[in-house]
Amino acid sequence: MKVSRSRRANPSASASAHGLARARYADVGVDTDAALRILAGIPVSIQCWQGDDVRGFETRTTVLGGGLAVTGSHPGRARTPDELRSDLDAALALIPGRHRVNLHAMYGEFGGKPVDRDALEPAHFRGWIDWARQRGLGLDFNPTCFAHARAADGSTLSHRDAGIRRFWIEHCRRSRKVGLAMGRALGTACVTNLWIPDGSKDTPADRRGPRERLEESLDAVFADPLPPRYNVDAVEPKLFGIGAESYTVGSHDFYLGYAVKNRKWLCLDTGHYHPTESLADKLSAVASSVPGVLLHVSRGVRWDSDHVVTLTDELLAVAREVVANDQLGRVRLGLDYFDASINRVAAWVIGARALQRALLAALLEPPAIREAEAAGDLTGRLALQEEAKGLPMGAVWDRFCEMMDVPVGAAWLTAMRAHDRRVTEERTGLSP
Ligand code: RNT
Ligand code: ZN
């Protein structure tokens, strides 16, 4: 279901504003047309779980757990695969460019049957694959190692019980096969990202044992090599979670080591580090050691709260590092947040557009900044960095939206609200 793209801002106003902006950028050696061409080719992987508060479509109902928490009760969340896809369609129509959708194993279509996680099949994702193919979208995937009775005590792949470990190993192995099927069917490598909640609320007596078990489980999960053309494996570290404040088995150091040793991609989630730690700085630090990086772009407020991504200094810094170090070919960008306090379609659109805007800012960086640094002119570097903040990026962004046939400026809200009115009434019987 496409939403209407009517009521955009006066196109001639944005076209002429862009004319001036283009000339201003040309003054500082930046080609805005070239920047927009690059931006148009950067896909953002949209997290399906923002659309239904991380519930999924399994028949069992389990609490979310694993340290993940969704707050808010905005009406109209998607309850079925078709509803979720129609909401994703509505969001994608308002985000410029061609993108990807990131699925979790719990979002399979199980035909009302109780299919447990260790029985997952590519067939459960046929509906998603067909939908993505029709729209030219790529798909990414994640095993779901939470919201399940066998994860209720907060341990999965590192569990002390071998039977529980085997269950999750089987789930993760099958998840990679789903990723492979997605990549093959769509002709674009699926990133299958593994995150587990394992950790401890209080000081563990044994920090090493769980890590040894996790390593062994991971080796079993990744035992079958899959063609990287179709499936790429990523592992996601974390500093702490609610209920795992004192110890996280899959910490940054653990997974960095594992990824380097085993040639896995490293997933860096912007919410998973100490608030004063710079994720942007990590990109160049790991660049020569891991084959690629999956970014989970999120926004933590005081903790890993997964707020909707906005155009913060941190986001600008992350995007800048990806672009400035020529990492676009080996970094995949995905969103990872879940907020039920505002309209869920809007949450996707706000976050994706913020990330794209940050990438645009990076693509429009005046080359004189780097040149000043290379010449040892640190005064010039700082002065030019500050002056660059005042360049007319907004006009270039508006032009991009216009070229990509999505609403310019806040006009997307009108289209989003039309979709919202229709579905909220359908889903709740109430008019919004
Ligand atoms: C949790 C991780 C993980 C999840 C999703 C739902 O802290 O960030 O990526 O958010 O898999
Ligand atoms: Zn994440």
Side-chain angles (χ1 to χ4, degrees):
M1 221 184 302
K2 287 265 163 192
V3 298
S4 138
R5 291 177 182 177
S6 58
R7 292 246 230 132
R8 65 178 58 130
N10 179 355
S12 62
S14 42
S16 52
H18 178 243
L20 293 172
R22 180 203 261 143
R24 181 70 186 92
Y25 273 105
D27 280 349
V28 293
V30 174
D31 177 347
T32 58
D33 297 323
L36 293 186
R37 272 196 299 278
I38 298 172
L39 187 61
I42 308 177
V44 175
S45 193
I46 312 284
Q47 80 288 31
C48 78
W49 50 92
Q50 162 59 49
D52 77 331
D53 313 341
V54 206
R55 287 175 195 239
F57 304 126
E58 292 169 319
T59 51
R60 273 168 282 110
T61 45
T62 334
V63 286
L64 183 53
L68 309 178
V70 183
T71 57
S73 55
H74 197 86
R77 76 173 167 82
R79 298 158 306 173
T80 65
D82 285 336
E83 288 183 356
L84 188 54
R85 285 189 282 258
S86 110
D87 288 356
L88 281 162
D89 279 333
L92 288 164
L94 305 174
I95 301 167
R98 185 69 64 85
H99 298 286
R100 309 177 63 83
V101 168
N102 197 3
L103 293 172
H104 244 282
M106 50 152 62
Y107 288 81
E109 291 174 77
F110 305 109
K113 295 197 189 74
V115 176
D116 210 347
R117 305 257 172 98
D118 61 346
L120 200 72
E121 297 282 350
H124 300 134
F125 295 86
R126 184 60 44 214
W128 283 106
I129 292 173
D130 290 345
W131 173 81
R133 193 191 290 111
Q134 280 160 19
R135 286 154 180 77
L137 300 167
L139 288 178
D140 295 306
F141 198 61
N142 306 260
T144 310
C145 301
F146 52 83
H148 190 281
R150 287 186 187 236
D153 66 0
S155 263
T156 61
L157 289 177
S158 77
H159 206 284
R160 76 185 87 77
D161 180 309
I164 295 185
R165 289 203 301 280
R166 265 197 306 276
F167 175 86
W168 290 112
I169 289 169
E170 185 61 21
H171 174 60
C172 293
R173 290 170 63 95
R174 283 168 177 261
S175 292
R176 294 178 71 224
K177 300 284 161 58
V178 174
L180 177 68
M182 289 174 166
R184 269 223 177 95
L186 302 171
T188 160
C190 169
V191 180
T192 301
N193 174 54
L194 195 159
W195 173 76
I196 56 164
D198 302 28
S200 172
K201 185 181 175 88
D202 261 318
T203 313
D206 178 11
R207 290 178 182 266
R208 186 161 175 192
R211 288 187 169 136
E212 282 173 351
R213 293 194 290 270
L214 175 55
E215 173 141 23
E216 226 178 86
S217 295
L218 292 172
D219 290 348
V221 167
F222 298 127
D224 295 344
L226 301 181
R229 251 186 334 148
Y230 299 130
N231 181 78
V232 162
D233 300 304
V235 287
E236 181 177 8
K238 187 166 177 169
L239 178 61
F240 81 98
I242 295 178
E245 290 83 357
S246 301
Y247 173 63
T248 293
V249 184
S251 61
H252 181 74
D253 310 68
F254 174 88
Y255 275 125
L256 178 59
Y258 191 87
V260 171
K261 192 154 101 184
N262 297 287
R263 307 296 298 152
K264 297 295 167 199
W265 281 42
L266 185 67
C267 172
L268 296 174
D269 184 308
T270 57
H272 285 192
Y273 294 86
H274 190 281
T276 64
E277 200 171 347
S278 164
L279 189 123
D281 182 62
K282 296 186 189 300
L283 286 157
S284 55
V286 304
S288 61
S289 310
V290 296
V293 167
L294 168 66
L295 275 176
H296 266 192
V297 183
S298 186
R299 179 165 58 99
V301 176
R302 302 184 187 278
W303 65 287
D304 178 30
S305 58
D306 290 295
H307 277 64
V308 176
V309 165
T310 55
L311 192 58
T312 58
D313 286 347
E314 194 196 351
L315 182 66
L316 287 162
V318 167
R320 196 260 160 202
E321 285 304 305
V322 174
V323 170
N325 297 309
D326 207 16
Q327 296 292 297
L328 280 168
R330 49 200 299 289
V331 170
R332 287 282 195 91
L333 302 161
L335 299 173
D336 183 14
Y337 52 78
F338 21 96
D339 185 348
S341 72
I342 63 169
N343 180 285
R344 295 172 185 78
V345 172
W348 274 318
V349 178
I350 292 166
R353 286 173 68 124
L355 174 54
Q356 290 182 293
R357 237 189 282 230
L359 290 163
L360 178 60
L363 291 164
L364 295 174
E365 181 176 291
I369 296 174
R370 250 189 135 112
E371 287 158 17
E373 179 175 288
D377 175 11
L378 304 187
T379 308
R381 179 183 68 182
L382 187 59
L384 293 167
Q385 280 169 337
E386 286 307 289
E387 288 305 323
K389 293 177 184 170
L391 289 169
M393 184 188 79
V396 185
W397 167 253
D398 286 349
R399 175 70 187 142
F400 182 61
C401 291
E402 191 175 85
M403 278 167 44
M404 304 307 282
D405 199 26
V406 304
V408 172
W412 67 262
L413 263 174
T414 313
M416 185 282 296
R417 288 201 166 117
H419 172 81
D420 188 36
R421 261 193 303 281
R422 202 172 46 247
V423 304
T424 306
E425 222 168 311
E426 256 168 48
R427 295 174 196 176
T428 65
L430 307 166
S431 32

